[in-house]
Amino acid sequence: MQVMNVVEKLITDGKLTKEEYVELLKYADDREITEFLAGEAVKIRKQYYGDKVFTRGLIEFTNYCKNNCYYCGIRRDNRNARRYRLTKEDILECCESGYELGFRTFVLQGGEDPYYTDERMVEIIRAIKERYPDCALTLSVGEKSYESYRLFREAGADRYLLRHETASEEHYALLHPAEMSLRNRKQCLYYLKELGYQTGAGFMVGSPGQTPESIAEDLIFLKELELQMVGIGPFIPHHETPFAQEKAGTLEMTLFLLSVIRIILPKVLLPATTALGTIHPRGREMGICAGANVVMPNLSPVRVRKQYELYDNKICTGDEAAECRMCLEKRISSVGYRLVCERGDAKN
């Protein structure tokens, strides 16, 4: 199979078969191929979004979680995690400082914490949307029932991020305990789409047990869902998990996949993640140059940032929101793009 034929098919058709993706992935460290794909991804991104990079104000409001995922630093069995929860007032304060800095999307992200019942979540969502009606609100709080998602949507939530982590049943079982299922995770994504959320999924690059075949399945699944958002970033081990000694995912493969995802989902909102900035000092800028168009600075109170530790050595745990915003603005302009004060809705 000639790789240039595969690349040409990717550009013209916007998708490949599983076998073709596996072939393409062999060239993730081939400079000529990666630069070509990045160039195509940037062309596509500029066609729909110009030189705009959208900001999302991330509010990590709880690090309690009932799940025990093997890769995650806030997993239930990590007895050394210092747990915290933010009140509604804390969350609104984060939104206030973010709004003043120009953020027009807030992302409420947390572990699957039973303390935040549907009633509590609806109260928080309504309070944010009443105070900031011109802002988009994204939730990232895991697997819920159809009814819970419906209540959150009716209360005003606009978007929902739920990384599927892997589209392979076998790989899913390596990353999660037996009580969790890929079938349920996928069902949640279908519910979210049905309810009219701008929906996002995604996966870790280089997670333990990941193969070219499982990445190919991920790309096919993302294309099938026709998502508005996709979040990928390198796997980074956390010292209090069963994967503490595993290797981290690579910068090269993450950038390669960002370009491929931009090509198969031209209008997608695609973050250059904090994890990417953690494995390389200019990781986020490199992500933008590979086709990404979103960054997610942290608006959480500084006092709790170090406690929301999904992986080791996470960056931006001490910056004030304003410092982080200004720093990012300079970083993004250094590679020829503009950080904008807009909701930044997907074009699809």
Side-chain angles (χ1 to χ4, degrees), residues 194-208:
E194 187 183 324
L195 286 162
Y197 283 92
Q198 293 176 47
T199 306
F203 57 92
M204 294 173 294
V205 178
S207 60

Side-chain angles (χ1 to χ4, degrees), residues 254-284:
T254 307
L255 296 174
F256 184 81
L257 288 169
L258 283 172
S259 298
V260 171
I261 290 165
R262 171 62 64 198
I263 292 164
I264 66 176
L265 294 168
K267 300 176 184 178
V268 78
L269 294 164
L270 191 59
T273 60
T274 304
L276 197 51
T278 298
I279 65 165
H280 191 285
R282 288 180 61 79
R284 285 174 295 184

Side-chain angles (χ1 to χ4, degrees), residues 15-29:
K15 62 180 180 180
L16 297 173
T17 65
K18 182 174 175 179
E19 293 72 24
E20 288 165 339
Y21 278 126
V22 170
E23 179 65 20
L24 182 65
L25 288 165
K26 292 175 186 172
Y27 295 85
D29 56 0

